[in-house]
Amino acid sequence: MKNVKVATIQMSMGWDVEENIKKAEKFVRAAAADGAKIILISELFERVYFCAKEIASYMDFSIEKEFSPAINHFKTVAKELGVVLPISFYERKNNARYNAIAIIDADGEVMGIYRKSHIPDDVSGYQEKFYFNIGDTGFKVWDTKYAKIGVAICWDQWFPESARCMSLMGAEILFYPTAIGSEPSDPTLDSKDHWHRVMQGHAAANMVPVVAANRVGTEHVEDISVTFYGSSFITDDTGAILSVMDRTSEGFITANLDLEAYEKSRAFWGLFRDRRPDLYGPILTMDGETKSK
């Protein structure tokens, strides 16, 4: 029987990188003490979500992965605790900058990185196209000590193609570190339930569990304020929510995932057996007709 206990961490962030790393470590240690083996921290947790506004000096936050304070810190933590940690960071590679995540296995070694594929650009609040190149790694699946995991980042979670690709590549669990909350351009909009449903749909359609981590609290970048609504959650392979946090609390939640049972269910349902990729040509186009050259 292949079971794994997973955890998702929900916390608020300030501008002090060292303090945010310490806070995240506190929750990682608590989740590990509770038996979690794969632990997710939210997107860009080293500081305030600076992408709320276009400010050129914030590009200086980017750093080569070899020098990332978060990666180097959590390599040691992962090895000590024997846990798998996907670590989000603002990556710089020569003249390119990426919203990236490093996958640290339970031995403390970095298995590689994934660069966010879909980059949002809101009127205000989520202006990531100013800060990030589009990711060039393609979707990836990591054969960690405890499970084969797919990890995508925030805006990626709205695209069924991301989840399908990772599932086709053998992912047994999908992880989505996130930073999402209020919309400064439309204060009446609350996307929390929609956010839940789209990822529950990924779990149900692919018959793999989903783990999502969000931040909480109100953050200010000059005149722009975003209130992050937390609500981090874990589903089973049918999309049913096993554990969920509220909109404001810091902490973590866990769930036991029976990966062997989920694998048997996927085989029984035959969703991957009955796929017809020969009919899916329109998905390779922008307008449903014209193939990209």
Side-chain angles (χ1 to χ4, degrees), residues 24-72:
E25 180 186 352
K26 177 185 72 173
F27 290 128
V28 165
R29 289 185 177 278
D34 195 38
K37 298 301 184 184
I38 310 176
I39 304 168
L40 185 66
I41 311 170
S42 60
E43 179 188 22
L44 299 172
F45 66 90
E46 289 182 280
R47 54 177 58 83
V48 164
Y49 180 76
F50 56 89
C51 312
K53 188 171 184 176
E54 297 180 1
I55 299 176
S57 61
Y58 289 176
M59 290 184 179
D60 294 339
F61 296 152
S62 61
I63 193 167
E64 294 84 354
K65 67 178 185 296
E66 293 80 8
F67 303 109
S68 164
I71 294 173
N72 289 325

Side-chain angles (χ1 to χ4, degrees), residues 6 19 22 38 66 83 103 125 130 151 168 200 214 273 285:
V6 299
E19 287 302 313
K22 286 180 180 178
I38 310 176
E66 293 80 8
V83 297
I103 312 302
F130 180 76
V151 185
L168 283 170
Q200 289 177 263
N214 195 15
R273 178 197 64 207
T285 74

Side-chain angles (χ1 to χ4, degrees), residues 255-274:
N256 287 298
L257 304 179
D258 188 341
L259 301 184
E260 184 176 346
Y262 300 160
E263 183 178 9
K264 290 179 179 178
S265 292
R266 280 195 301 274
F268 174 79
W269 276 96
L271 297 177
F272 289 90
R273 178 197 64 207
D274 297 339

Side-chain angles (χ1 to χ4, degrees), residues 20-265:
N20 293 326
I21 289 175
K22 286 180 180 178
K23 181 189 284 190
E25 180 186 352
K26 177 185 72 173
F27 290 128
V28 165
R29 289 185 177 278
D34 195 38
K37 298 301 184 184
I38 310 176
I39 304 168
L40 185 66
I41 311 170
S42 60
E43 179 188 22
L44 299 172
F45 66 90
E46 289 182 280
R47 54 177 58 83
V48 164
Y49 180 76
F50 56 89
C51 312
K53 188 171 184 176
E54 297 180 1
I55 299 176
S57 61
Y58 289 176
M59 290 184 179
D60 294 339
F61 296 152
S62 61
I63 193 167
E64 294 84 354
K65 67 178 185 296
E66 293 80 8
F67 303 109
S68 164
I71 294 173
N72 289 325
H73 183 88
F74 283 104
K75 284 171 61 176
T76 302
V77 174
K79 183 175 182 179
E80 177 192 342
L81 300 178
V83 297
V84 174
L85 297 173
I87 298 297
S88 174
F89 73 110
Y90 186 10
E91 181 194 11
R92 178 162 186 181
K93 180 69 174 180
N94 298 324
N95 288 311
R97 292 172 173 83
Y98 301 98
N99 188 335
I101 195 152
I103 312 302
I104 304 176
D105 207 356
D107 60 0
E109 295 300 314
V110 176
M111 303 182 75
I113 63 169
Y114 165 71
R115 292 167 174 164
K116 187 173 181 176
S117 299
H118 304 93
I119 308 298
D121 188 33
D122 200 352
V123 176
S124 64
Y126 306 91
Q127 298 186 341
E128 293 196 14
K129 280 186 167 64
F130 180 76
Y131 292 99
F132 307 124
N133 294 78
I134 58 172
D136 58 1
T137 59
F139 303 113
K140 289 178 172 288
V141 168
W142 314 92
D143 192 3
T144 74
K145 180 177 180 179
Y146 303 111
K148 291 181 180 179
I149 66 172
V151 185
I153 303 171
C154 201
W155 194 230
D156 289 331
Q157 69 208 356
W158 295 91
F159 295 84
E161 297 87 349
S162 308
R164 179 66 93 196
C165 286
M166 292 185 288
S167 299
L168 283 170
M169 295 165 69
E172 297 174 293
I173 313 169
L174 300 179
F175 291 84
Y176 293 101
T178 298
I180 188 169
S182 60
E183 300 284 342
S185 60
D186 183 0
T188 67
L189 179 61
D190 183 350
S191 62
K192 192 271 288 184
D193 290 343
H194 185 186
W195 177 69
H196 272 189
R197 285 192 295 266
V198 72
M199 283 182 282
Q200 289 177 263
H202 299 334
N206 294 289
M207 298 193 72
V208 294
V210 163
V211 182
N214 195 15
R215 59 174 74 198
V216 292
T218 299
E219 298 179 1
H220 308 278
V221 179
E222 294 192 350
D223 59 327
I224 301 297
S225 297
V226 178
T227 299
F228 296 93
Y229 51 58
S231 306
S232 304
F233 68 100
I234 303 169
T235 79
D236 68 8
D237 63 323
T238 70
I241 292 181
L242 299 174
S243 189
V244 63
M245 296 194 72
D246 63 25
R247 287 175 174 260
T248 58
S249 298
E250 295 185 295
F252 68 93
I253 51 175
T254 64
N256 287 298
L257 304 179
D258 188 341
L259 301 184
E260 184 176 346
Y262 300 160
E263 183 178 9
K264 290 179 179 178
S265 292

